[in-house]
Amino acid sequence: MTPRKPEVDSMQDIINIFRNIGIWDIVDMAIVAFVFYKLYTLIRETRAEQLIKGILVLLVATPLSEVLQLHVIHWILRNTMTVGLIALLIVFQPEMRRALEYIGRTKFLTKSIADIEQEEIQRLVEEVGEAAASLSRQKIGALIVIEKDTGLNEVVETGTLITGLVSRALLINIFIPNTPLHDGAVVIRKNKIMAAGCFLPLTENTYLNKELGTRHRAGLGITEKSDSLVVIVSEETGAISIAENGKLTRYLDVDTLKKRIDSSFEMKDSQQWKFWKYKWRRKND
């Protein structure tokens, strides 16, 4: 009897694996792939990306040293990997916090904090947009943080409490040079200016353009730790920028700025309510 070739057996095993894959297996793999993709987007262009590469090198080197019978190196690598879990918790603490905050901001776990009435949203868009335009023309630096789902109380506490309605006049006066509150960030919650002169964390992005100053780095930094939207006006050029989700968009005109702010306050819950209300009316007509 002629024995079957190993290549044939391997091919048959692969075919059997694909035949036994069901719909839930595909769903399972899709969820895992999605989770790994989101984790990658969280650590991309941060210090964690370089650390992950180093860990992958260790994971490859450990079994390789055993195969090559490099006993001392293998012993060191094996013991390093044993305490690696504790080291990972310490090293990746900022990234783990960002990941947990991202999970906490998902719509099925939290209700959006941006529940302002539509006319108030339009007023916010108009006042912030016109204030940024005026500051841009005068080349006055500004840093305006608009809070969304993630609360920014720890940032508010670093500044001077105001709790006043958003207005272009108030925003412009806050950022006038040589005034007590001009140096720092303004935090807006719903339709109110909560505080001014606030301190923001600087970005951890090492790939950022070296021409960008502290104001832009602070604006990016808070969007890396929250889902806030930040409007930045450059003191040197008067250019208007927006920071969101750890990304910076520069040289915006006033109309584009207003559209970007408006789009970040899309009332998804209200839209869903309108949809179901419309559906209910159709059903009863």
Side-chain angles (χ1 to χ4, degrees), residues 26-83:
I26 296 174
V27 172
D28 187 22
M29 290 185 286
I31 292 173
V32 171
F34 177 76
V35 169
F36 274 102
Y37 169 75
K38 298 306 288 186
L39 288 174
Y40 172 72
T41 58
L42 284 172
I43 67 170
R44 184 175 54 191
E45 296 183 352
T46 64
R47 292 179 301 172
E49 184 178 12
Q50 305 303 321
L51 293 171
I52 287 290
K53 292 178 181 177
I55 291 171
L56 291 175
V57 170
L58 291 177
L59 289 174
V60 173
T62 301
L64 185 62
S65 62
E66 184 179 16
V67 172
L68 297 177
Q69 297 185 354
L70 304 174
H71 301 296
V72 176
I73 295 176
H74 178 69
W75 182 86
I76 294 173
L77 292 174
R78 187 182 61 193
N79 284 277
T80 300
M81 297 304 293
T82 302
V83 297

Side-chain angles (χ1 to χ4, degrees), residues 105-120:
R105 291 198 304 264
T106 52
K107 296 302 179 183
F108 58 88
L109 290 178
T110 184
K111 183 179 179 180
S112 176
I113 203 170
D115 55 356
I116 320 172
E117 296 295 336
Q118 190 61 37
E119 57 271 18
E120 292 180 336

Side-chain angles (χ1 to χ4, degrees), residues 203-217 220 236 248 250:
T203 179
E204 298 177 359
N205 188 346
T206 57
Y207 300 95
L208 199 62
N209 191 327
K210 302 299 181 183
E211 296 178 358
L212 297 176
T214 305
R215 186 175 285 109
H216 289 82
R217 294 177 183 275
L220 269 176
E236 289 76 19
L248 185 68
R250 303 177 68 190

Side-chain angles (χ1 to χ4, degrees), residues 128-144 212 215-216 230-243 248-258 260-261:
V128 172
E130 291 302 322
S134 177
L135 293 166
S136 174
R137 287 192 295 269
Q138 301 175 69
K139 290 188 177 180
I140 296 175
L143 190 56
I144 303 171
L212 297 176
R215 186 175 285 109
H216 289 82
V230 182
V231 178
I232 308 164
V233 180
S234 172
E235 187 175 358
E236 289 76 19
T237 64
I240 300 174
S241 306
I242 272 187
L248 185 68
T249 306
R250 303 177 68 190
Y251 304 111
L252 300 177
D253 57 43
V254 179
D255 291 335
T256 306
L257 172 66
K258 291 179 181 179
R260 283 291 301 272
I261 299 174

